[in-house]
């Protein structure tokens, strides 16, 4: 594969995208998971798909859109949806989770319509749903790098505030943090990351990349910094490993990446089990 | 005359049209130790949340340190231990030290990292509540009483001028209850902080309390000294909470 990496530029693009997303998704994902917003990732990825398919559909009629990277419109729609999601949550104060299926159905419904309307016009459904190695274009890389940069800046600058807000929203408000503004900034970044991640893992698997590495890290970490570091380690392992395997096996990268993430989680749980058995043994011996 | 730390003037608060506070006026001076008592649902937490600015009253005004609530910006002077402190997500991956550090975040600017002074304050606060040795433990792995002490450490790490505690001992077992009141006594001796404590048990704080506010269905039924409160007899409109003989004859 290394020789191929040097030969084929599309492989290099996919590789860069995987490395950057393997870092960015678990980084923002750590906050998404502890804020119990895992499902929001799913809703936003489906809406992103609607944006992308709408852009592809428009591309048939409007020259501007046929030259435009469809991910741009997808990203825009994802950001708008993230803000709309908050509005919906406030409409259903007592059933806030309803906002997710509402958003998701709307996204999927629109996607279905636009995809079928643009059938035969360079829409590869499998690429959209499960990602593709050959689908990453230079302009995608630009967008992915820009989003990664924004994410890192926001987290470096607002790390303390975001952690406080995630752990204890009420206290954060009392101590004078502008919680609404921070929350909107956070949702904005989440929407960006989800939109660009789907290039490599596809709509259906984006939320796994955001949540699974964090889920594994959560099993054994005590501090939030540790959680972030381990989630990124797992994320990189899954994306790079998954990409290599997907290339060798010639299957959609999203599937392999996510399965690797599931395997990591399983391995962590196994180690945990072994660890607790050992502890018991030690206890017995000292009895 | 000492300055007012908290001043409520004819405050009423309604949840969707249902009154939770009706025409409450209180003036809390510097150094006061105010106990707020009353049955469940009488509006104690609502009163606290109004003082903190988490709720804006539909009628009346709230002043903090002589400024209208909305204009009071120096939030690090006020600390709050909420009633629900123990109901945070116990799987949350933060250490005891990280939790207490949050108490310093309000005054830290963007980019700034915790400096030596912050770290010393964190250690000091954790030592006060006897939790320094647990600093690297995950907060969710501690008992309810220990968690509560960590939240108190977070509340005192800024050396606030006003400390507000909403039923801080709910969910704390008997054994640790004494530790908690010891910390309260210690703070009282060591600082000139003003206290507002929502409680169901006046007896354990009789030597601290300077003022009792008794809420009855959102109305202030009593706002008086502890001695007067204990002498409210059968004739009072409310049933006062029992207070043992006190009058500062040296508690144990
Ligand atoms: N978020 C809320 N929405 C509607 N009603 C509320 C809310 N919080 C409290 N209440 C009502 O307001 C009254 C006062 O509640 P609260 O201040 O929590 O009382 P306490 O702290 O004394 O138990 C109660 O009747 C309660 O049911
Ligand atoms: Mg209450």
């Amino acid at each position: 594969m290394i020789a191929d990496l040097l030969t084929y530029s599309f492989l290099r693009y996919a590789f860069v995208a995987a490395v950057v997303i393997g870092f960015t998704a678990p980084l923002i994902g750590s906050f998404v998971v502890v804020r119990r917003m895992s499902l929001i990732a799913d809703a936003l990825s489906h809406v992103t798909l609607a944006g992308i398919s709408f852009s592809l559909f428009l591309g048939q009629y409007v020259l501007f859109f046929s030259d435009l990277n469809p991910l741009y419109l997808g990203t825009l729609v994802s950001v708008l949806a993230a803000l709309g999601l908050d509005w919906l949550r406030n409409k259903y104060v007592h059933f806030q989770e309803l906002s997710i299926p509402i958003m998701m159905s709307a996204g999927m419904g629109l996607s279905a319509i636009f995809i079928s309307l643009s059938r035969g016009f360079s829409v590869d459904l499998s690429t959209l749903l499960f990602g593709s190695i050959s689908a990453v274009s230079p302009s995608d890389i630009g967008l992915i790098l820009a989003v990664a940069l924004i994410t890192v800046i926001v987290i470096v600058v607002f790390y303390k505030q975001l952690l406080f807000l995630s752990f204890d929203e009420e206290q954060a408000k009392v101590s004078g943090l502008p919680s609404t503004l921070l929350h909107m900034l956070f949702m904005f970044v989440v929407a960006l990351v989800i939109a660009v991640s789907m290039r490599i893992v596809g709509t259906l698997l984006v939320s796994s990349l955001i949540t699974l590495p964090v889920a594994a890290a959560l099993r054994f970490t005590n501090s939030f910094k540790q959680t972030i570091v381990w989630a990124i380690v797992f994320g990189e392992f899954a994306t790079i490993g998954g990409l290599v395997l997907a290339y060798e096996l010639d299957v959609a990268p999203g599937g392999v990446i996510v399965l690797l993430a599931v395997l990591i989680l399983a391995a962590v749980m196994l180690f945990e089990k072994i660890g607790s058995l050992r502890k018991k043994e030690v206890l017995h011996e000292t009895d | 005359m000492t300055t007012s730390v908290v001043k409520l003037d004819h405050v009423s608060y309604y949840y969707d049209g249902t009154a939770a506070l009706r025409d409450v006026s209180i003036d809390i001076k510097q150094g006061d130790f105010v106990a707020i008592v009353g049955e469940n649902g009488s509006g104690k937490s609502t009163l606290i949340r109004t003082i903190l600015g988490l709720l804006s009253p539909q009628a009346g005004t709230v002043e903090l340190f002589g400024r209208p609530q909305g204009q009071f910006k120096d939030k690090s002077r006020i600390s709050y231990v909420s009633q629900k402190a123990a109901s945070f997500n116990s799987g949350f991956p933060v250490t005891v030290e990280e939790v207490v550090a949050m108490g310093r975040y309000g005054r830290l600017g963007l980019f700034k990292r915790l400096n030596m002074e912050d770290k010393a304050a964190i250690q000091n606060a954790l030592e006060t509540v006897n939790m320094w040795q647990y600093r690297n433990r995950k907060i969710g792995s501690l008992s309810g009483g220990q968690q509560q002490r960590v939240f108190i450490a977070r509340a005192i790490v800024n050396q606030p001028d006003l400390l507000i505690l909403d039923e801080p001992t709910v969910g704390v077992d008997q054994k640790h209850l004494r530790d908690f009141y010891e910390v309260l006594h210690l703070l009282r001796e060591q600082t000139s902080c003003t206290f507002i404590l929502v409680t169901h048990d006046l007896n354990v704080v009789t030597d601290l309390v300077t003022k009792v506010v008794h809420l009855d269905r959102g109305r202030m039924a009593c706002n008086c000294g502890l001695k007067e409160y204990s002498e409210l007899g059968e004739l009072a409109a409310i049933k006062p909470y029992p207070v043992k003989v006190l009058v500062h004859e040296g508690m144990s």
Side-chain angles (χ1 to χ4, degrees):
Chain A
M1 162 137 186
I2 293 176
D4 293 352
L5 255 181
L6 297 175
T7 322
Y8 303 112
S9 56
F10 79 88
L11 253 190
R12 279 199 299 276
Y13 296 145
F15 195 75
V16 171
V19 169
V20 175
I21 288 168
F23 170 87
T24 316
L27 176 63
I28 197 74
S30 300
F31 290 91
V32 172
V33 169
V34 296
R35 294 193 72 186
R36 306 205 156 202
M37 294 179 156
S38 303
L39 291 174
I40 284 178
D42 260 322
L44 291 183
S45 69
H46 286 73
V47 175
T48 305
L49 182 63
I52 289 178
S53 45
F54 184 50
S55 184
L56 290 170
F57 166 73
L58 284 179
Q60 298 172 77
Y61 305 102
V62 188
L63 197 61
F64 173 73
F65 281 99
S66 50
D67 290 337
L68 193 74
N69 183 343
L71 194 53
Y72 292 165
L73 194 57
T75 308
L76 180 70
V77 172
S78 171
V79 167
L80 293 179
L83 303 178
L85 210 54
D86 270 333
W87 177 80
L88 267 179
R89 276 157 71 91
N90 292 333
K91 285 272 159 207
Y92 288 98
V93 178
H94 301 290
F95 297 98
Q96 293 197 336
E97 69 280 7
L98 268 181
S99 57
I100 290 165
I102 293 173
M103 193 61 84
M104 210 152 143
S105 337
M108 222 41 203
L110 287 172
S111 307
I113 290 175
F114 291 126
I115 288 172
S116 54
L117 282 179
S118 35
R119 181 159 298 151
F121 290 85
S122 75
V123 182
D124 179 1
L125 201 55
S126 151
T127 297
L128 292 176
L129 297 184
F130 306 115
S132 156
I133 294 180
S134 55
V136 184
S137 68
S139 78
D140 286 339
I141 293 287
L143 190 60
I144 289 171
L145 284 175
V147 166
L149 191 68
I150 293 173
T151 309
V152 169
I153 290 175
V154 166
I155 288 185
V156 167
V157 175
F158 297 105
Y159 174 81
K160 298 185 297 283
Q161 286 79 4
L162 285 173
L163 174 61
F164 200 177
L165 187 69
S166 310
F167 181 67
D168 196 334
E169 188 167 351
E170 192 178 55
Q171 285 283 344
K173 276 185 191 157
V174 168
S175 69
L177 293 190
S179 55
T180 312
L181 223 64
L182 267 173
H183 174 72
M184 280 172 45
L185 181 67
F186 175 74
M187 291 304 289
F188 172 71
V189 176
V190 170
L192 289 180
V193 173
I194 286 168
V196 301
S197 300
M198 74 149 284
R199 243 332 175 216
I200 199 88
V201 284
T203 305
L204 296 181
L205 302 169
V206 168
S207 70
S208 330
L209 191 58
I210 296 223
T211 54
L212 287 181
V214 186
L218 273 180
R219 306 287 320 176
F220 62 91
T221 50
N222 284 340
S223 86
F224 196 62
K225 286 206 170 117
Q226 277 175 6
T227 305
I228 292 181
V229 170
W230 279 102
I232 290 174
V233 170
F234 294 153
E236 287 294 354
F237 186 81
T239 43
I240 297 174
L243 196 68
V244 173
L245 278 176
Y247 181 67
E248 299 296 340
L249 303 172
D250 193 20
V251 291
V256 191
I257 290 173
V258 168
L259 273 184
L260 273 184
V262 172
L263 282 179
I264 291 169
L265 182 60
V268 167
M269 285 175 163
L270 193 68
F271 271 112
E272 228 178 338
K273 188 86 192 160
I274 295 171
S276 70
L277 286 180
R278 280 240 184 89
K279 241 185 231 162
K280 265 189 204 146
E281 258 170 43
V282 173
L283 279 181
H284 276 293
E285 276 163 20
T286 49
D287 266 354
Chain B
M1 210 190 94
T2 44
T3 48
S4 289
V5 173
V6 177
K7 194 166 175 190
L8 273 73
D9 197 28
H10 299 289
V11 167
S12 296
Y13 186 86
Y14 303 85
Y15 290 105
D16 299 327
T18 324
L21 288 180
R22 304 162 203 244
D23 198 25
V24 173
S25 300
I26 313 178
D27 190 356
I28 298 172
K29 303 285 189 198
Q30 206 218 308
D32 265 345
F33 192 115
V34 180
I36 299 181
V37 294
E39 287 178 20
N40 283 337
S42 59
K44 303 182 296 295
S45 296
T46 305
L47 177 64
I48 298 295
R49 295 166 64 79
T50 316
I51 294 173
L52 288 166
L54 289 167
L55 302 174
S56 309
Q58 286 88 350
T61 55
V62 179
E63 280 182 18
L64 297 172
F65 298 95
R67 285 171 165 270
Q69 161 65 253
Q71 287 171 29
F72 178 76
K73 292 286 177 253
D74 193 3
K75 304 277 177 120
S76 65
R77 292 179 74 182
I78 302 177
S79 284
Y80 166 51
V81 178
S82 73
Q83 181 175 9
K84 310 182 303 251
S87 75
F88 68 96
N89 176 357
S90 65
F92 204 109
V94 277
T95 62
V96 166
E97 200 171 359
E98 282 176 319
V99 170
V100 179
M102 290 176 199
R104 300 291 282 191
Y105 287 175
R107 56 159 62 180
L108 272 182
L110 303 177
F111 290 114
K112 292 246 180 63
R113 306 186 51 161
L114 297 172
N115 61 22
M116 294 307 285
E117 194 191 331
D118 294 314
K119 296 209 168 126
I122 292 165
Q123 176 167 0
N124 197 2
L126 276 171
E127 278 170 352
T128 304
V129 298
N130 237 326
M131 290 297 290
W132 176 242
Q133 68 270 36
Y134 294 99
R135 63 188 172 281
N136 293 324
R137 287 275 293 273
K138 187 162 148 181
I139 182 84
S141 72
L142 304 175
S143 74
Q146 290 173 323
Q147 285 173 7
Q148 197 61 329
R149 278 190 282 160
V150 173
F151 290 117
I152 288 167
R154 177 175 69 183
I156 61 177
V157 74
N158 261 340
Q159 295 174 312
D161 295 321
L162 171 62
L163 181 54
I164 301 179
L165 305 130
D166 192 354
E167 299 194 41
T169 53
V170 167
V172 175
D173 53 86
Q174 280 296 325
K175 190 165 129 276
H176 291 108
L177 220 51
R178 278 192 41 178
D179 293 347
F180 170 73
Y181 287 112
E182 259 166 39
V183 170
L184 221 51
H185 279 87
L186 197 70
L187 288 175
R188 192 66 177 150
E189 283 159 23
Q190 291 178 349
T191 67
S192 58
C193 186
T194 306
F195 288 78
I196 301 177
L197 172 70
V198 177
T199 182
H200 279 291
D201 192 358
L202 279 172
N203 282 316
V204 279
V205 284
T206 44
D207 57 334
L208 298 176
V209 171
T210 60
K211 206 182 249 180
V212 180
V213 171
H214 186 126
L215 287 179
D216 178 36
R217 281 162 290 173
R219 270 186 208 289
M220 204 164 57
C222 173
N223 175 10
C224 56
L226 188 65
K227 186 159 181 297
E228 290 162 84
Y229 183 76
S230 69
E231 287 165 3
L232 283 179
E234 306 285 301
L235 292 174
I238 47 159
K239 194 162 159 279
Y241 282 74
V243 186
K244 272 182 266 162
V245 187
L246 36 110
V247 207
H248 299 269
E249 289 168 335
M251 277 258 306
S252 63

